[in-house]
Amino acid sequence: MLRFSAHCRVFSRNNTLILIAFIWAASIFPPLYLFGYLDCKFIYRDDIFALVFLENKTCDVISWYLDALKSLIVVSIITVVDFITVVIVRSRVKAQTQGASRTGTSLNEINLLKQAIARGLLFVTELFSYFCLASRFENRWAVWAFSTVAWNILHLCDPIVVITFNKEFRKLIVSFHMKMTKCSTISSSATAYDYTANPNYKPTYNYGPRRSAPTIILS
């Protein structure tokens, strides 16, 4: 109970709003300063089909230290925190649960750890491909493959990893697909009948009960 109350205090509504505001500020203001105020631009080059930094001293510092290394550090921290969380939860659950529930919890923990490792490997591979491999080639198709294609493959595989290791998402997708298939089947089977194609068809109209005209009395 004490741990729950401490959790509620840390993640209260005000603290959560402050955290959200901090994340938005950290995502907006540094790029405005780095790419707007400083002499660094992130441009698209037609000759290599890729988005690249300008070649100057400022962009060299920003691209390597504030982009590549920062992303690598963030990915590493997330992976380490996930690993520590799994170890702590596993040790606590092991002492409290037995039998089938314990096995199910262990599988969920393993899936969480696999997901964190898989996503971390994806991001590290993309960073290595973009910042290390792409710069070693002069052929524009090779540069395009190791930069633009690698970036798109990363963001394509990231949700695939999440769906693969979370059965809740798979069930949601299957349920949505079955619902859409059912709606499509009902819609295609509901064909309209052309009554005018029948020569003996005589439309009938219902005007409602007849009413007599009002009587006007002159006095």
Side-chain angles (χ1 to χ4, degrees):
M1 188 67 181
L2 181 61
R3 292 175 181 173
F4 179 75
S5 60
H7 179 274
C8 292
R9 287 196 303 270
V10 173
F11 294 98
S12 63
R13 186 175 185 274
N14 292 334
N15 291 344
T16 303
L17 292 177
I18 293 173
L19 181 61
I20 293 174
F22 172 77
I23 293 174
W24 275 100
S27 302
I28 294 175
F29 292 110
L32 289 178
Y33 174 75
L34 296 175
F35 301 107
Y37 180 76
L38 297 181
D39 184 22
C40 184
K41 296 292 185 293
F42 196 58
I43 61 174
Y44 176 77
R45 289 181 52 181
D46 292 330
D47 55 335
I48 57 175
F49 309 125
L51 291 166
V52 296
F53 291 91
L54 287 178
E55 296 181 359
N56 55 47
K57 188 175 181 179
T58 303
C59 281
D60 291 341
V61 174
I62 292 174
S63 62
W64 181 247
Y65 292 101
L66 300 180
D67 192 359
L69 292 183
K70 184 200 71 175
S71 300
L72 183 61
I73 292 172
V74 170
V75 170
S76 302
I77 291 174
I78 292 174
T79 304
V80 172
V81 170
D82 287 341
F83 178 77
I84 295 175
T85 303
V86 169
V87 172
I88 294 175
V89 172
R90 185 181 179 87
S91 62
R92 291 180 179 177
V93 172
K94 185 177 181 180
Q96 297 176 0
T97 60
Q98 298 291 335
S101 60
R102 176 178 169 181
T103 304
T105 305
S106 300
L107 292 176
N108 292 333
E109 295 166 1
I110 293 173
N111 286 335
L112 176 62
L113 185 58
K114 288 181 179 179
Q115 176 181 330
I117 294 175
R119 297 181 70 186
L121 289 176
L122 282 175
F123 277 91
V124 170
T125 303
E126 191 274 336
L127 291 172
F128 178 76
S129 175
Y130 185 91
F131 288 98
C132 297
L133 294 180
S135 60
R136 296 180 178 274
F137 294 90
E138 295 182 357
N139 183 277
R140 63 178 182 176
W141 294 107
V143 176
W144 173 72
F146 286 109
S147 57
T148 305
V149 175
W151 187 88
N152 283 278
I153 291 176
L154 163 68
H155 291 280
L156 172 66
C157 294
D158 188 37
I160 293 177
V161 170
V162 175
I163 294 172
T164 302
F165 290 101
N166 290 274
K167 61 181 180 180
E168 293 82 6
F169 287 104
R170 296 198 300 271
K171 290 180 179 179
L172 182 63
I173 294 174
V174 172
S175 175
F176 178 77
H177 177 70
M178 292 178 62
K179 185 181 296 184
M180 294 301 296
T181 304
K182 183 178 180 180
C183 292
S184 177
T185 304
I186 295 175
S187 177
S188 61
S189 61
T191 56
Y193 179 76
D194 188 6
Y195 293 98
T196 60
N198 186 359
N200 299 322
Y201 170 73
K202 294 182 179 181
T204 58
Y205 304 97
N206 184 11
Y207 296 101
R210 293 185 177 181
R211 297 181 180 179
S212 58
T215 303
I216 301 177
I217 301 176
L218 300 177
S219 57

